[in-house]
Amino acid sequence: AQKITQTQPGMFVQEKEAVTLDCTYDTSDQSYGLFWYKQPSSGEMIFLIYQGSYDEQNATEGRYSLNFQKARKSANLVISASQLGDSAMYFCAMREGGIYQAGTALIFGKGTTLSVSS
Amino acid sequence: NAGVTQTPKFQVLKTGQSMTLQCAQDMNHEYMSWYRQDPGMGLRLIHYSVGAGITDQGEVPNGYNVSRSTTEDFPLRLLSAAPSQTSVYFCASSYSGPGSTGELFFGEGSRLTVL
């Protein structure tokens, strides 16, 4: 079964608008971590934001926030005030197991391409 | 700070040839891994290592070998390249000690084409 599902292959938004990129996950672990990475057209992978399963507050990093709904197993990325430079592929990823569990791989979704227009 | 360094960045091979993708990190990370990225497939784990001398298979290990003789280096070997191994390969490392979230630090990627 797919563990990370990103149902939006592509999203389009205008500058200064907010956009939500969807991510649902599947795990039986109580302790896990959720990540979002950005991949611009240049190809590098850029870490954006992290949410631990026991974190009570939604994670925020500047214009990025993670809307964590544990019961729904969703971890949507919200980008406020989109900029042209936000045009990229965005990947949701999950680490199963606790933060002290060495050697736990990240499992990635298939990604969502975000296009920001002026 | 170099971070994670992959070489080469681009490579073209013929079917049946062998090659090694090099990966080195200077952050003293115990955990290292290799992913491949194909269109529409996201990143899929090939092999990973939790420390020198310890390696294990990921989701798509067939056709690839790895070894980890030092903390810094984690080379990926293709013994007999096939067109299905045409892909972009990423090496990544993470700190796995106290306080770690497991965030992966990625190399810049290596684009491999097998003809």
Side-chain angles (χ1 to χ4, degrees):
Chain A
Q2 198 169 349
K3 295 217 171 189
I4 296 285
T5 302
Q6 295 181 255
T7 57
Q8 307 154 313
M11 289 285 286
F12 298 87
V13 68
Q14 288 203 311
E15 267 188 304
K16 301 179 185 177
E17 290 183 350
V19 62
T20 297
L21 305 184
D22 294 341
C23 173
T24 58
Y25 60 91
D26 182 29
T27 182
S28 56
D29 281 3
Q30 295 302 307
S31 181
Y32 51 90
L34 297 155
F35 302 79
W36 279 91
Y37 282 84
K38 173 184 178 181
Q39 186 180 44
S41 58
S42 51
E44 71 269 31
M45 295 290 288
I46 302 168
F47 167 74
L48 294 178
I49 197 166
Y50 167 79
Q51 178 87 39
S53 60
Y54 291 119
D55 295 339
E56 294 184 353
Q57 301 288 330
N58 285 343
T60 60
E61 290 286 349
R63 293 185 300 110
Y64 303 108
S65 60
L66 199 153
N67 184 0
F68 181 45
Q69 299 190 38
K70 198 168 182 177
R72 295 185 176 185
K73 293 189 174 178
S74 74
N76 298 340
L77 177 71
V78 180
I79 305 175
S80 63
S82 297
Q83 301 172 356
L84 294 177
D86 293 333
S87 293
M89 176 82 82
Y90 289 80
F91 291 100
C92 180
M94 177 175 66
R95 181 210 76 237
E96 289 181 303
I99 59 173
Y100 297 108
Q101 185 171 338
T104 306
L106 292 196
I107 304 163
F108 285 81
K110 296 185 177 182
T112 296
T113 301
L114 176 65
S115 299
V116 181
S117 59
S118 57
Chain B
N1 241 351
V4 179
T5 303
Q6 288 181 235
T7 56
K9 289 186 171 46
F10 300 94
Q11 183 73 48
V12 178
L13 289 177
K14 294 181 179 179
T15 297
Q17 287 185 320
S18 63
M19 76 156 300
T20 299
L21 295 174
Q22 302 289 348
C23 177
Q25 52 91 10
D26 62 358
M27 297 172 282
N28 202 31
H29 286 169
E30 290 295 323
Y31 180 82
M32 296 186 73
S33 55
W34 278 101
Y35 288 85
R36 60 177 289 173
Q37 182 181 13
D38 302 293
M41 299 296 291
L43 278 76
R44 293 181 293 170
L45 182 66
I46 304 171
H47 284 285
Y48 66 95
S49 168
V50 300
I54 306 169
T55 64
D56 207 344
Q57 297 180 348
E59 179 187 358
V60 288
N62 291 342
Y64 308 95
N65 281 348
V66 292
S67 60
R68 185 97 179 268
S69 56
T70 67
T71 298
E72 294 78 19
D73 300 300
F74 190 44
L76 179 71
R77 297 183 184 86
L78 285 71
L79 298 180
S80 179
S84 60
Q85 293 178 303
T86 294
S87 188
V88 178
Y89 292 85
F90 285 97
C91 179
S93 71
S94 71
Y95 168 64
S96 51
S100 170
T101 65
E103 173 195 345
L104 286 178
F105 295 79
F106 283 87
E108 293 182 339
S110 299
R111 184 174 294 274
L112 174 66
T113 301
V114 183
L115 303 176

